[in-house]
Amino acid sequence: MPTKTLQIPTADGQADAFAAYPDRGERHPGVLMYADAFGIRPVLREMARELAGHGYYVLVPHFFYRHGPAPLIELPEHIGEEVRPALVAQLMPLIEAHTTERILRDADAYLRFLTTQPEVTAGPVAVTGYCIGGLLAMRTAAAHPDQVAAVAGFHGPVGADGPDGLHRLFSTLTAQVHLGHAETDMTPEALGELNQALDAAGVGHTSEIYPGTVHGFTMSDTDAFSPSALQHHWDRLLPLLDRTLAHS
């Protein structure tokens, strides 16, 4: 599986990034994958390679690039609950500084870069994200309805009254949506409100709580990891991409 380390030109500098794609000498549909706040690391590279193996060019940007290249903080091989609070405390100022304006400027640059890569087919792309990356994915899809055909977010801070009034963006979404929520992140009542808001906006979607999960369930280098929930994530994500992106 070919991989590349790349530099994405943005309005505010150069964002380092990781890309994986099939080794077939062909062009493939593009997928923009936003990491969680812990960023690009072995588990994200592994997930990008696995998705690429299904016939996609997968681009994973380091969205905290304004603070330096990845990794910004030293991560243990396994992020256990005993170290997680201290790591999150280091990352929180970066998360707070990553404003909506920065998110949207970067999304423009990431999509422009992705769609001009020689290994990427012309046509629509998909965006997926984990944790804060799920929020970034939704904002990217809402801001680029002419380019993004599918968007998926997993254990992300996405609600009917999400950060900065995310529900107001639903009316601009044309992408097909899947949201996979952790049981500890979303109550059934909040899920109902979110799905009603998506329905009211006419957004084609599936949105569900993955049973028995805690925040971060897709990440195999954390205590939150659930192998069955990760498989459930693939079982939802791959058909979504297959339906919405034309393979060459």
Side-chain angles (χ1 to χ4, degrees), residues 110-162:
Y110 300 156
L111 290 178
R112 184 166 54 249
F113 184 88
L114 174 62
T115 55
T116 55
Q117 294 309 291
E119 301 89 355
V120 176
T121 57
V125 301
V127 188
T128 185
Y130 303 89
C131 184
I132 184 179
L135 174 61
L136 272 55
M138 290 291 283
R139 289 204 174 281
T140 299
H144 295 271
D146 57 332
Q147 284 186 287
V148 180
V151 59
F154 301 93
H155 46 83
V158 177
D161 291 305

Side-chain angles (χ1 to χ4, degrees), residues 25-239:
E26 302 170 345
R27 300 172 75 191
H28 305 277
V31 179
L32 176 61
M33 177 185 285
Y34 286 113
D36 60 6
F38 294 127
I40 300 174
R41 59 196 193 280
V43 67
L44 263 297
R45 294 186 180 95
E46 179 184 333
M47 292 176 77
R49 283 193 292 265
E50 178 155 353
L51 182 53
H54 292 275
Y56 301 99
Y57 181 104
V58 184
L59 178 66
V60 189
H62 170 53
F63 49 81
F64 290 147
Y65 67 90
R66 292 174 181 85
H67 305 274
L72 287 175
I73 64 173
E74 186 175 347
L75 293 173
E77 287 188 13
H78 184 82
I79 303 170
E81 287 308 308
E82 72 282 0
V83 298
R84 185 184 183 96
L87 295 174
V88 171
Q90 291 182 69
L91 292 169
M92 193 55 65
L94 283 61
I95 295 171
E96 292 172 349
H98 203 59
T99 60
T100 299
E101 291 74 21
R102 287 185 173 185
I103 292 169
L104 297 180
R105 281 205 306 275
D106 288 348
D108 292 346
Y110 300 156
L111 290 178
R112 184 166 54 249
F113 184 88
L114 174 62
T115 55
T116 55
Q117 294 309 291
E119 301 89 355
V120 176
T121 57
V125 301
V127 188
T128 185
Y130 303 89
C131 184
I132 184 179
L135 174 61
L136 272 55
M138 290 291 283
R139 289 204 174 281
T140 299
H144 295 271
D146 57 332
Q147 284 186 287
V148 180
V151 59
F154 301 93
H155 46 83
V158 177
D161 291 305
D164 303 324
L166 186 62
H167 66 288
R168 291 195 291 272
L169 300 181
F170 293 163
S171 62
T172 65
L173 277 172
T174 58
Q176 294 289 307
V177 175
H178 174 70
L179 299 173
H181 310 283
E183 201 170 71
T184 55
D185 288 344
M186 180 76 73
T187 66
E189 293 75 21
L191 178 68
E193 292 175 6
L194 171 61
N195 291 347
Q196 286 175 12
L198 289 164
D199 284 335
V203 176
H205 70 279
T206 55
S207 173
E208 61 185 311
I209 295 171
Y210 286 22
T213 55
V214 297
H215 183 75
F217 58 76
T218 59
M219 297 296 152
S220 62
D221 61 351
T222 74
D223 280 356
F225 179 56
S226 166
S228 61
L230 176 63
Q231 185 58 52
H232 190 55
H233 139 281
W234 290 122
D235 291 342
R236 290 292 188 263
L237 178 60
L238 293 174

